[in-house]
């Protein structure tokens, strides 16, 4: 027990060192953070390559001009000219044209001086590029590069990949990702006032582009005749099973995550869709949004020990005149500091038992007073008098009556005014008041879940059966919830409270409808009309045949990305878009590569956890059987032990790990110097911890035997 106490004390001391920071859990981070996480620190020299390629093409048609000097017609014509260059056979020219378009997607950073100008250029360039159909053009280039890299893998047997092996693919993916992220997040960035816009036309324009792009991504790609998300899942399967190590797996995972966020919608969209489905099943709406409740929750910290507080104050003041007097009856009982007492603090300094003189629940020089105990302040004296009367039962009744009357008169007489406490006593009074506010404050809010409890109908039935068997001798009344004859009144009150919190889940209604379909397939009607055209249904239909393999591949990559697991000889190579072709022996570059490696793994964990949570949430809202199919395969693939392995580390140290630097993040590294690292950089690890915990909660809910 002593070792356990020491361990808990060490853990509490470690957790106390974690700095306080505000964190809002959302589907993804801000636009600036998401763009920064897309690029590795090893790709920093390529920003200059993009700038040089763009200048070369621009000077051919508009010499001695910058991009901001051109009008809208000239900009569109130049973009169309770059698209023509991407379709020629000459590889170097095609790559330079792709880099020029990527420079436009990066906000033409060489022509800006601050972040406001950068976001203005970024919004204008992305809208122009989408109008010129750049997204579909680069999708075709992406499929073309995938086919070429597959052929090169068969011809070349290299084992250790580097960023030089997938340069063209990374450029194409960066263009696609930049367009997708700006279209998806621009409206929310303007609403949060992180992006300043002088006109509302851009907001309306991006709303239209977002709806159009969402409808396009929910349709199959012509080249491969399948959804883009399904094609990206196939690439992840090839990376794991066919040893295609050249694929930039981090960029593919992030791109897949953002495609799912746009096509399916985030957690708020899943919550709204759930309420819409509940209306169709004649169920009441749910008012508690889980994401909003999570953002309102405070960190769980254990209350401080009041004795430790007082001891710490006394140790910090060695010259304090407050001393414990020795107990004359027990010479061995000598205490140098404050210890736990059953009757309070010493009577010469702080009297807790002599009386109560206020009603605020605080410790004064004469006693403790609480609002709930102030009305019963005379009860301890009466009980003591009763004990004295019982102990002195051999005395006459007249003597007992005299003692009681004397005690009553003594209680009515006002006491003498207390002496004023000195500074040391005031400090101890404040410490004791803090302790009492924890131990004796009856208005203290008990720790509980911030949402209302829910009772299932079978739980109420089981409770009624148990109580009927206990009091009446029989229990089963064929689902009768109203007959309470013979049960005591407390059971009536319990049943009334349980009925107030009865909750019928959407999954139960969907299961009942499926059972009805099996019994009456011709006469049963669909509750949700045109559900086959919904994005979750389309995605599940395209992933159904190979969904178990895709989930296993995601868990394999997740296992390789866990920081505390040492890589093995047969581990997946997830650093293909991180390691440079030649690793320098410079101390600075070595440290930067080590930081970038840890950052790389954290971003992969963040992306995979976001993908799994999105699939579980939307599949459960669409139909419970789709959710059960997905969750069962995750359980069979040991997803729960893998999540527990992620939590099998020092959480406070993991949250405080700072594996990024604003000065190296894009676009800060190409625009200007940024402030040093602060506590806001802890949100990556916090987000992935919350997400994997929610996945574990979804998998373990109502599965009492899965662990």
């Amino acid at each position: 027990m002593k070792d356990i106490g020491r361990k808990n004390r060490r853990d509490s001391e470690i957790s106390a060192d974690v700095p306080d920071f505000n964190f809002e859990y959302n589907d993804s981070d801000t636009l600036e953070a998401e763009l920064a996480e897309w690029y590795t620190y090893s790709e920093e020299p390529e920003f200059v390559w993009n700038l040089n390629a763009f200048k070369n093409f621009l000077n051919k048609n508009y010499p001695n001009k910058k991009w901001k000097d051109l009008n809208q017609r000239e900009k569109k014509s130049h973009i169309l000219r770059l698209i023509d260059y991407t379709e020629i056979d000459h590889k170097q020219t095609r790559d330079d044209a792709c880099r020029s378009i990527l420079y436009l997607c990066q906000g033409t950073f060489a022509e800006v001086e601050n972040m406001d100008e950068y976001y203005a250029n970024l919004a204008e360039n992305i809208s122009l590029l989408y109008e010129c159909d750049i997204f579909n053009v680069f999708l075709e280039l992406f499929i073309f590069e995938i086919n070429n890299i597959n052929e090169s893998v068969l011809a070349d047997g290299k084992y250790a990949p580097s960023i030089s092996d997938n340069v063209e693919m990374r450029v194409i993916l960066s263009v696609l990702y930049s367009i997708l992220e700006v279209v998806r997040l621009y409206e929310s960035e303007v609403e949060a006032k992180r992006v300043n816009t002088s006109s509302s036309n851009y907001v309306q324009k991006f709303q239209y582009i977002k709806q159009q792009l969402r409808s396009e991504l929910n349709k199959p790609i012509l080249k491969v005749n399948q959804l883009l998300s399904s094609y990206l899942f196939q690439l992840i399967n090839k990376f794991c099973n066919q040893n295609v190590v050249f694929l930039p797996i981090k960029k593919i995972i992030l791109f897949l995550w953002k495609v799912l966020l746009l096509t399916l919608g985030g957690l708020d969209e899943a919550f709204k869709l759930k309420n819409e489905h509940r209306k169709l099943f004649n169920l009441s709406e749910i008012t508690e949004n889980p994401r909003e409740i999570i953002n309102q929750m405070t960190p769980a910290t254990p209350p401080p020990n009041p004795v430790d507080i007082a001891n710490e104050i006394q140790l910090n003041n060695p010259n304090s005149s407050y001393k414990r007097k020795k107990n004359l009856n027990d010479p061995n009982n000598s205490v140098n500091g404050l210890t736990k007492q059953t009757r309070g603090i010493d009577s010469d300094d702080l009297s807790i038992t002599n009386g109560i003189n206020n009603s605020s629940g605080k410790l004064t020089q004469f006693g403790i007073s609480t609002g709930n105990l102030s009305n019963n302040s005379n009860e301890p004296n009466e009980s003591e008098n009763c004990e004295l009367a019982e102990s002195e039962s051999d005395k006459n009744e007249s003597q007992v009556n005299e003692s009681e009357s004397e005690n009553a008169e003594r209680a009515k007489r006002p006491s003498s005014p207390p002496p004023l406490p000195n500074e040391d006593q005031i400090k101890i009074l404040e410490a004791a008041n803090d302790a009492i506010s924890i131990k004796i404050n009856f208005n203290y809010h008990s720790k509980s879940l911030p949402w209302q409890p829910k009772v299932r109908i079978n739980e109420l039935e089981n409770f009624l059966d148990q109580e009927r068997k206990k009091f009446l001798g029989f229990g089963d009344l064929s689902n009768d919830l109203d007959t309470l004859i013979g049960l005591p009144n407390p059971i009536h009150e319990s049943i009334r409270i349980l009925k107030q919190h009865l909750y019928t889940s959407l999954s139960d209604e969907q299961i009942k409808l499926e059972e009805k379909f099996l019994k009456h397939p011709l006469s049963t009607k669909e509750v949700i009309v045109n559900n086959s055209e919904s994005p979750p249904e389309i995605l599940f239909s395209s992933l159904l045949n190979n969904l178990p393999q895709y989930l296993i591949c995601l868990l394999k990559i997740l296992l390789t990305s866990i920081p505390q697991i040492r890589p093995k000889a047969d581990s997946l190579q997830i650093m293909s878009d991180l390691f440079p072709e030649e690793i320098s022996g410079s101390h600075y570059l070595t440290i930067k590569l080590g930081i970038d490696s840890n950052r790389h793994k954290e971003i992969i964990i963040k992306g995979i956890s976001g993908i799994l949570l999105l699939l579980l949430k939307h599949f459960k809202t669409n139909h419970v059987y789709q959710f059960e199919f997905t969750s069962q395969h995750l359980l069979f693939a040991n997803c729960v032990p893998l999540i527990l392995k992620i939590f099998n580390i020092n959480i406070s140290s993991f949250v405080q790990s700072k594996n990024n630097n604003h000065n190296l993040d894009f676009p800060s590294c190409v625009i200007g110097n940024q402030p040093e690292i602060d506590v806001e950089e802890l949100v990556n690890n916090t987000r992935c911890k919350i997400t994997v915990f929610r996945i574990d909660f979804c998998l373990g809910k109502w599965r009492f035997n899965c662990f």
Side-chain angles (χ1 to χ4, degrees), residues 455 460 491-502:
V455 179
L460 179 57
I491 303 301
H492 290 205
E493 183 68 17
S494 301
I495 294 173
R496 185 185 65 81
I497 295 174
L498 290 176
K499 286 183 178 180
Q500 288 180 354
H501 297 87
L502 274 179

Side-chain angles (χ1 to χ4, degrees), residues 303-369:
N305 191 342
V307 177
D308 293 341
I309 295 175
N311 277 329
E312 183 178 357
I313 292 177
Q314 187 176 0
L315 290 175
N316 293 334
N317 296 278
N319 297 325
S320 175
S321 62
Y322 179 77
K323 298 293 183 181
R324 275 287 175 194
K325 292 187 177 182
K326 297 181 179 180
N327 192 349
L328 299 178
N329 297 328
D330 188 2
N332 296 325
N333 186 11
S334 61
V335 183
N336 294 326
L338 292 177
T339 57
K340 291 184 178 179
Q341 300 288 325
T342 59
R343 293 186 177 272
I345 305 176
D346 201 8
S347 59
D348 290 343
D349 296 307
L350 298 172
S351 177
I352 299 182
T353 59
N354 286 344
I356 299 168
N357 63 350
N358 62 14
S359 59
S360 61
K362 294 184 178 180
L363 179 67
T364 64
Q365 193 173 5
F366 287 91
I368 302 175
S369 63

